Amino acid sequence: EAGVAQSPRYKIIEKRQSVAFWCNPISGHATLYWYQQILGQGPKLLIQFQNNGVVDDSQLPKDRFSAERLKGVDSTLKIQPAKLEDSAVYLCASSLVTGTSADTQYFGPGTRLTVL
Amino acid sequence: AQSVSQHNHHVILSEAASLELGCNYSYGGTVNLFWYVQYPGQHLQLLLKYFSGDPLVKGIKGFEAEFIKSKFSFNLRKPSVQWSDTAEYFCAVKTYNTDKLIFGTGTRLQVFP
């Protein structure tokens, strides 16, 4: 079974530039998550989709971050404009169902973003 | 707000030593508990999880964790570590009625041969 795919793996940009990350979840997984992991910290949820609808985006900085999941499969996360404090690893995860305690989230390799 | 504390930030052990990593959470209701591991250069992988039933949970690679509700703890243990256990370990909590995982800050484990 193929895992969660993410691209690019690394990205370096200057502040005020824009950047986009792509995620392809495990086939058949209805729920998709984007996490931000700052160096020295655990992952923090940014946004959760169920199919193509947003379930939770309470911690997404909506003035600069946006995300979409067209057709309920792939997802993109965009930052515009980037700030220095956005330097982090952006993780995508997926799970089979939502609202089920027994479900497990499977993580992709992440995209390491450096903002100069 | 719910939070997860991992008090050991960096642990250094020799092979065959026993391991215990602490994890405490703050939430009074029903929780689901997880330990994830990230080996060098690899993605986060599930090590073990607790949902209900026996509070002693066994995971992959000889790891186990014990849920002690009265102490709000879910400590990870392994009786004899190997060099290949060198990794970062994250404890995570999910409240019963949500899908939101709340992670601790992680513990970096280094095992020397």
Side-chain angles (χ1 to χ4, degrees), chain B residues 3-53:
Chain B
S3 64
V4 178
S5 297
Q6 292 183 245
H7 306 295
N8 316 102
H9 297 294
H10 190 189
V11 174
I12 301 172
L13 295 172
S14 298
E15 276 193 318
S18 63
L19 171 71
E20 181 160 2
L21 300 182
C23 173
N24 289 89
Y25 64 93
S26 64
Y27 181 72
T30 302
V31 294
N32 303 131
L33 299 157
F34 305 79
W35 276 97
Y36 278 85
V37 60
Q38 188 166 27
Y39 297 103
Q42 297 187 28
H43 57 276
L44 274 169
Q45 302 171 42
L46 183 67
L47 201 54
L48 49 79
K49 60 186 179 183
Y50 170 81
F51 286 102
S52 63

Side-chain angles (χ1 to χ4, degrees), chain A residues 33 35 37 40 42-43 45 48 56 59 91 98-105 107-109, chain B residues 32 34 36 38 41 43-44 46 49 51 90 94 96-97 99-106:
Chain A
Y33 312 79
Y35 288 84
Q37 185 176 13
L45 181 69
Q48 175 188 345
D56 183 352
Q59 296 195 82
L91 298 168
T98 187
T100 303
S101 302
D103 205 18
T104 296
Q105 293 182 27
F107 285 81
Chain B
N32 303 131
F34 305 79
Y36 278 85
Q38 188 166 27
H43 57 276
L44 274 169
L46 183 67
K49 60 186 179 183
F51 286 102
F90 292 92
K94 186 163 66 168
Y96 191 71
N97 59 347
D99 298 309
K100 185 175 178 177
L101 273 177
I102 299 167
F103 284 86
T105 53

Side-chain angles (χ1 to χ4, degrees), chain A residues 58-75:
Chain A
S58 58
Q59 296 195 82
L60 186 74
K62 298 180 187 63
D63 57 332
R64 298 183 301 106
F65 286 64
S66 64
E68 60 182 9
R69 190 183 184 199
L70 299 176
K71 301 180 182 178
V73 183
D74 294 6
S75 177

